[in-house]
Amino acid sequence: MSVNELYRALYEIVGEGKILENEPLSKHTTFRIGGPARYFLTPDREEALKEVILMCKDNNIDFYVIGNGSNLLVSDKGYDGVVIKIGENLREIRCEEDKIYATAGATLAGIAQTALKNSLTGFEFAAGIPGTLGGALVMNAGAYGGEMKQVVESAKLLDSEGNFVVLSNEELELGYRTSIIPKKGY
């Protein structure tokens, strides 16, 4: 796949205004460091995220998914592949009765704020953790005696074949700064 074909294919998936070429990653990391990403995408639908990942896999194109770029150290040489930022558009948070539903790009601070507004306890530990739900699940983030393992009931993940699967807390195998997510390539 040529560079022009790749750009057109990515554009067809994510649409106008959601793909940038040679975008400095320093604009998208909390440490404000990092060279350019060959392509930088901000999909606004789960299906677009899935299509981009599958296209990259099918064409052996390197890709990396980030939330809000919290605590990422990126080389000044940049990334010669596709960086997919989900923290910009895929960050829905909603509360229904005594449960919070959030997408991977939702910030932990935003989720904690939603819990507070709805008089729900248990997520206070995460209020000061800079990052998104997706990254927090990957590493079972925690602080002040609390961790994701204590509050997550289930998670919807994309498997390596491009299928959405729902795993229970137990199936996520959340442990000290680990989960099944990187082990299985979710």
Side-chain angles (χ1 to χ4, degrees):
M1 179 176 278
S2 74
V3 173
N4 288 337
E5 290 171 331
L6 176 58
Y7 180 87
R8 282 194 298 275
L10 292 169
Y11 180 90
E12 287 296 316
I13 296 169
V14 297
E16 188 172 349
K18 295 183 178 60
I19 179 171
L20 299 170
E21 288 186 87
N22 299 312
E23 175 70 359
L25 291 172
S26 60
K27 290 179 164 183
H28 305 280
T29 62
T30 55
F31 290 125
R32 297 294 178 225
I33 62 170
R38 181 74 172 128
Y39 295 106
F40 184 85
L41 310 178
T42 54
D44 61 2
R45 301 173 291 109
E46 284 181 0
E47 200 59 37
L49 173 63
K50 172 184 169 176
E51 288 179 40
V52 167
I53 290 173
L54 288 176
M55 191 202 65
C56 288
K57 284 184 172 193
D58 290 346
N59 291 284
N60 295 317
I61 298 164
D62 291 334
F63 69 94
Y64 195 78
V65 179
I66 65 172
N68 276 339
S70 303
N71 298 329
L72 289 180
L73 299 174
V74 180
S75 168
D76 288 337
K77 294 178 184 176
Y79 186 74
D80 191 27
V82 176
V83 172
I84 307 161
K85 184 176 183 180
I86 61 172
E88 193 159 314
N89 295 317
L90 296 172
R91 57 182 181 187
E92 178 189 347
I93 304 169
R94 73 180 193 286
C95 185
E96 293 178 12
E97 297 180 20
D98 65 345
K99 294 183 191 225
I100 294 176
Y101 298 86
T103 55
T107 64
L108 297 183
I111 296 169
Q113 193 69 355
T114 299
L116 176 65
K117 286 178 186 173
N118 290 277
S119 301
L120 299 175
T121 63
F123 208 75
E124 296 85 354
F125 74 90
I129 299 174
T132 58
L133 179 59
L137 279 175
V138 168
M139 65 166 299
N140 187 34
Y144 310 112
E147 59 184 344
M148 297 305 293
K149 180 179 184 174
Q150 298 166 330
V151 295
V152 171
E153 185 175 297
S154 64
K156 179 179 173 183
L157 308 169
L158 186 64
D159 71 15
S160 58
E161 282 82 47
N163 302 302
F164 287 108
V165 296
V166 177
L167 298 183
S168 68
N169 181 303
E170 295 78 25
E171 292 170 317
L172 288 166
E173 297 180 16
L174 299 165
Y176 183 75
R177 303 301 173 258
T178 188
S179 74
I180 197 168
I181 297 170
K183 295 172 192 170
K184 294 283 188 172
Y186 290 121

